Amino acid sequence: AGDELAAYFEAVIGADQKIEPRDWMPEAYRKGLVRQIAQHAHSEIIGMQPEGNWLSRAPSLSRKAILLAKVQDEAGHGLYLYAAAETLGTSRAELFDKLLAGRQKYSSIFNYPTLTWADVGAIGWLVDGAAIVNQVPLCRCSYGPYARAMIRICKEESFHQRQGFDLLYTLARGTDEQRAMAQDAIDRWWYPSLAMFGPPDADSTHSAQSMAWKIKRFSNDELRQKFVDMTAQQAGVLGLRLPDEALRYDEQTGHWRYTQPDFAELTRVIAGDGPCNRQRIEHRRRAHDDGTWVRESAAAYAAKQRARKVA
Ligand code: 3HC
């Protein structure tokens, strides 16, 4: 029976079909998905901090409303992804504990500070832009609940990326100070956004297996290149400069040549040595503790509802 189940799993993956929660799956497939989906969910929730930092200082009511909608969306993305992870037999509480204990990761990108209002635009345009390039292929990932969560998330990310571009476009056509603020934000967020895609393929520990199981559909370097190709063109429309003297379009390959991010810095940030790692986790821990009464009230209310139904 074991061989038949394994053969069925391989056949489903081979035929580009979806593995669903009740299907048999190799333990390593399950564990690899919990690792990636949990990390993805943690990234969405931690990502609310750098952006939320500017909610009370947005320059206009409409910018505040847009940013509020985006931060709420990120919370929702975290919810869909924790729910997808729970279909693999883990619980949200367990994942939170692992994050707070430093046993699970979140995206390196959110360990950088948001120093000016223009950072909100740079995050939207660059970080959400990179997230779209990384997440669109995940809509075709072999695990059903993850792929379906991605479809809804990608639609909302497009709005996030668009509002970031629009914010920078406005600043780039404003006063000299506003233009300089937008350029400074792009200078600080460009390379960390390239690093978001992970280490170079040669140093990627999970890519080979993840691609064999059709979780990862393109390699880290392929997605990084796709992001540079898309963003280099948009920078021209913005009238702002990407901070890479070597950036230039290569007629032969049809791609943009560019300078790689500092992967030693990525390793340090992943290991906890980024500008904001401690602050992000402490804020998360405080928010989690402050939310205990909400979780307990919701559980008590649900128990009362159940008791009422039974009575
Ligand atoms: N930040 C933190 N850790 C990273 C990382 C990053 N940017 N890139 C790689 N790593 C870690 C991996 O987790 C792995 O460590 P682990 O074994 O302890 O988990 C190690 O570095 C080696 O990297 P691999 O290439 O082998 O790892 P993956 O195959 O998992 O590839 C990935 C990395 C491309 C980020 C992949 O995990 C992925 O596609 N994840 C889902 C997408 C995601 O998490 N995006 C977060 C972006 S933030 C976001 O989407 C919010 C948006 O709204 C702004």
Side-chain angles (χ1 to χ4, degrees):
D3 295 350
E4 273 162 39
L5 289 171
Y8 174 77
F9 174 82
E10 291 303 333
V12 168
I13 300 285
D16 254 343
Q17 302 297 310
K18 296 283 180 264
I19 295 295
E20 296 299 338
R22 275 185 296 280
D23 291 339
W24 179 87
M25 60 186 85
E27 206 35 43
Y29 179 82
R30 178 189 306 281
K31 274 180 66 186
L33 278 168
V34 169
R35 174 192 68 84
Q36 175 161 335
I37 299 173
Q39 182 164 323
H40 200 159
H42 297 328
S43 303
E44 304 282 2
I45 299 300
I46 297 282
M48 294 165 72
Q49 290 185 39
E51 300 181 323
N53 179 29
W54 284 90
L55 267 177
S56 61
R57 293 176 287 170
S60 69
L61 183 60
S62 72
R63 289 291 179 198
K64 183 198 278 271
I66 292 171
L67 183 55
L68 196 56
K70 179 180 190 309
V71 173
Q72 279 174 318
D73 280 351
E74 307 297 10
H77 295 176
L79 184 62
Y80 311 148
L81 289 162
Y82 285 127
E86 284 176 330
T87 65
L88 289 158
T90 180
S91 77
R92 207 167 308 189
E94 199 182 323
L95 298 179
F96 286 155
D97 291 348
K98 285 187 176 154
L99 170 68
L100 293 177
R103 289 179 26 232
Q104 276 183 343
K105 296 181 165 73
Y106 58 93
S107 185
S108 52
I109 192 70
F110 295 123
N111 289 308
Y112 292 86
T114 42
L115 302 177
T116 72
W117 168 251
D119 285 41
V120 173
I123 287 179
W125 182 45
L126 296 175
V127 175
D128 288 86
I132 289 171
V133 170
N134 165 279
Q135 289 171 168
V136 165
L138 286 171
C139 296
R140 291 187 295 113
C141 139
S142 58
Y143 187 57
Y146 192 25
R148 290 189 288 273
M150 276 298 110
I151 291 168
R152 166 88 182 261
I153 287 177
C154 284
K155 289 193 172 62
E156 293 172 343
E157 289 294 4
S158 306
F159 148 65
H160 298 172
Q161 202 255 3
R162 193 90 218 112
Q163 66 82 34
F165 181 86
D166 176 62
L167 191 158
L168 292 174
Y169 189 83
T170 306
L171 290 175
R173 274 145 196 76
T175 63
D176 291 349
E177 290 78 11
Q178 286 171 328
R179 189 179 164 71
M181 185 167 68
Q183 185 59 61
D184 163 62
I186 290 177
D187 292 348
R188 283 184 286 106
W189 286 92
W190 172 244
Y191 286 107
S193 300
L194 292 185
M196 248 171 96
F197 291 93
D201 294 349
D203 302 335
S204 173
T205 36
H206 301 286
S207 283
Q209 183 60 75
S210 185
M211 291 177 89
W213 278 332
K214 298 190 182 171
I215 296 169
K216 187 180 274 191
R217 307 304 302 245
F218 296 96
S219 77
N220 299 358
D221 291 330
E222 283 171 337
L223 288 180
R224 207 179 336 262
Q225 180 65 63
K226 208 181 275 228
F227 172 68
V228 173
D229 290 347
M230 175 182 95
T231 312
Q233 294 175 44
Q234 292 179 5
V237 177
L238 263 183
L240 294 168
R241 193 183 40 75
L242 294 174
D244 178 359
E245 295 311 318
L247 188 69
R248 67 172 178 75
Y249 185 69
D250 182 337
E251 295 290 342
Q252 252 62 42
T253 62
H255 291 296
W256 287 74
R257 302 170 68 82
Y258 67 99
T259 305
Q260 291 297 331
D262 178 348
F263 290 111
E265 178 179 317
L266 173 64
T267 307
R268 280 197 309 277
V269 173
I270 292 176
D273 190 21
C276 301
N277 295 55
R278 250 181 306 287
Q279 169 190 341
R280 298 291 183 236
I281 286 295
E282 276 326 302
H283 181 110
R284 183 86 283 281
R285 189 186 316 283
R286 217 174 23 259
H288 191 61
D289 294 346
D290 292 352
T292 305
W293 70 271
V294 177
R295 291 191 297 276
E296 285 170 355
S297 322
Y301 179 74
K304 218 184 278 178
Q305 294 297 87
R306 272 197 303 278
R308 220 170 263 150
K309 271 206 198 101
V310 165

